[in-house]
Amino acid sequence: MSMCGGLTAAKPADQSIQDMCDQVKGQAEQKAGKSFPVFEAKSYCSQVVAGTNHFIKIHVGDSDHIHLRVFKSLPHAGSELKVHGVQQGKKLEDPIEHF
């Protein structure tokens, strides 16, 4: 159980996290200023706020990874997904941290 405002421990990405990544890939590419040939979610952490922040490690080709911060609004606000940040130059072994 996560504490409101606290970041959960990293978990392997499941299909729902991959689906979320697929939906925001265009936003992520726009923020990063480049296209990603691969966009495969590997692991993630969550933070409950007035909605949920998802911090996701994504494989983007070769040995390259990014960390993506995706905000999902509450259902009454439409459960919209918005990319709030992208950290580039990450490796598979880099821990996911709040940013």
Side-chain angles (χ1 to χ4, degrees), residues 81-97:
L81 298 173
K82 181 168 171 92
V83 173
H84 279 204
V86 178
Q87 292 183 330
Q88 299 183 64
K90 296 293 185 175
K91 295 180 175 25
L92 179 61
E93 60 272 7
D94 289 339
I96 301 171
E97 299 173 333

Side-chain angles (χ1 to χ4, degrees), residues 8-96:
T8 64
K11 299 176 264 199
D14 57 19
Q15 188 60 50
S16 67
I17 296 297
Q18 182 62 53
D19 292 345
M20 182 184 306
C21 290
D22 293 343
Q23 290 178 52
V24 300
K25 182 180 180 194
Q27 290 181 51
E29 290 175 332
Q30 186 174 11
K31 279 202 178 287
K34 62 175 156 183
S35 296
F36 300 116
V38 177
F39 210 70
E40 180 185 356
K42 293 303 210 178
S43 58
Y44 73 103
C45 299
S46 298
Q47 176 190 35
V48 176
V49 289
T52 306
N53 283 317
H54 297 278
F55 298 86
I56 309 166
K57 180 186 307 266
I58 301 172
H59 176 232
V60 293
D62 297 323
S63 62
D64 299 329
H65 292 75
I66 62 170
H67 289 178
L68 193 65
R69 179 178 174 179
V70 178
F71 176 74
K72 182 176 183 180
S73 63
L74 292 170
H76 76 276
S79 297
E80 293 182 16
L81 298 173
K82 181 168 171 92
V83 173
H84 279 204
V86 178
Q87 292 183 330
Q88 299 183 64
K90 296 293 185 175
K91 295 180 175 25
L92 179 61
E93 60 272 7
D94 289 339
I96 301 171

